[in-house]
Amino acid sequence: AQSVTQLDSHVSVSEGTPVLLRCNYSSSYSPSLFWYVQHPNKGLQLLLKYTSAATLVKGINGFEAEFKKSETSFHLTKPSAHMSDAAEYFCVVRLLSGGYNKLIFGAGTRLAVHP
Amino acid sequence: EAGVTQFPSHSVIEKGQTVTLRCDPISGHDNLYWYRRVMGKEIKFLLHFVKESKQDESGMPNNRFLAERTGGTYSTLKVQPAELEDSGVYFCASSQVVFGKSGANVLTFGAGSRLTVL
């Protein structure tokens, strides 16, 4: 069965330092993986997606993620954090079940960015 | 283009009362999905409409939940009677084509409706 595990519920970084949000997945076939972000009082916004093309995926706002099959990981990174990056981030896998597609969400990682 | 709109943004009700949440998808999006995040848990799928038809309602927790999409435009999700464990955030999402088909791997989500049952 498909699932995702976000290894940290909270991550705190200083502005200008790198961001690493960790995600491991479990899938019985080649997965489609996503990162979504939710800023306070906003909807869930797609950051980036992996759908079996390039393993290094670039998203919006300077974020990127690398699909590593050998490690079953899809960690989200950004070289330099900005205050506006403070939000909750969700690692998501697409599940095909009964002919329909659903999104399976991780528990979320709340990112705090300090001046 | 207007996004997915959800109303109310926050609702506080007593146990046993009824609440109706509304979702207006992006105009022209035939596919509408409901998800929810119960406190402390993951965001989970509830159901999927294609136009006015329920395509997949496997995630609906019990018969206290009723979703409708009359006319294939906006959708409502009614909880009757509400219980404490129903507290959480209810998200709506829409897509033009069925999610996952033809590379349409993107759902557009609303900001969510927060439900608090006391």
Side-chain angles (χ1 to χ4, degrees):
Chain A
Q2 274 79 345
S3 67
V4 287
T5 302
Q6 292 184 244
L7 300 169
D8 307 292
S9 58
H10 290 82
V11 170
S12 181
V13 301
S14 297
E15 190 176 21
T17 64
V19 175
L20 170 64
L21 305 184
R22 298 181 295 166
C23 172
N24 285 106
Y25 70 90
S26 171
S27 177
S28 54
Y29 52 82
S30 184
S32 291
L33 293 159
F34 311 80
W35 276 96
Y36 277 84
V37 61
Q38 187 181 24
H39 289 91
N41 301 316
K42 301 284 187 182
L44 289 159
Q45 181 184 20
L46 179 68
L47 270 181
L48 49 81
K49 62 181 181 182
Y50 167 77
T51 54
S52 74
T55 56
L56 182 62
V57 182
K58 294 189 184 298
I60 61 172
N61 301 334
F63 284 94
E64 62 182 37
E66 186 171 9
F67 174 73
K68 291 187 177 180
K69 186 175 181 179
S70 60
E71 299 176 11
T72 61
S73 69
F74 191 57
H75 301 334
L76 182 70
T77 60
K78 183 173 180 177
S80 176
H82 192 273
M83 296 296 289
S84 60
D85 294 328
E88 190 163 19
Y89 293 78
F90 297 92
C91 183
V92 182
V93 65
R94 177 168 65 105
L95 167 68
L96 177 61
S97 173
Y100 302 112
N101 289 278
K102 300 182 182 66
L103 295 180
I104 307 299
F105 283 78
T109 298
R110 196 169 291 277
L111 175 66
V113 182
H114 303 291
Chain B
E1 174 182 83
V4 177
T5 306
Q6 293 188 245
F7 182 82
S9 57
H10 191 187
S11 180
V12 181
I13 61 173
E14 300 276 336
K15 177 185 170 185
Q17 290 186 321
T18 298
V19 64
T20 300
L21 309 177
R22 172 172 168 146
C23 169
D24 286 75
I26 291 173
S27 179
H29 282 195
D30 287 341
N31 294 272
L32 186 149
Y33 305 79
W34 283 98
Y35 285 77
R36 77 168 180 175
R37 188 182 195 188
V38 171
M39 294 305 176
K41 299 286 182 65
E42 292 88 352
I43 298 171
K44 290 194 174 178
F45 169 84
L46 294 179
L47 85 159
H48 168 208
F49 282 99
V50 177
K51 296 185 180 178
E52 67 274 11
S53 299
K54 291 175 187 174
Q55 201 71 10
D56 178 2
E57 52 185 330
S58 60
M60 293 290 266
N62 52 61
N63 59 10
R64 295 186 293 103
F65 289 76
L66 175 64
E68 295 180 319
R69 194 183 181 196
T70 307
T73 54
Y74 70 90
S75 174
T76 58
L77 180 64
K78 181 190 288 188
V79 185
Q80 180 183 31
E83 298 289 344
L84 298 178
E85 63 265 24
D86 300 332
S87 295
V89 181
Y90 291 76
F91 292 99
C92 178
S94 71
S95 66
Q96 193 165 25
V97 296
V98 174
F99 170 65
K101 277 187 175 287
S102 307
N105 286 314
V106 178
L107 296 183
T108 302
F109 282 84
S113 290
R114 181 174 297 276
L115 173 63
T116 302
V117 183
L118 303 176

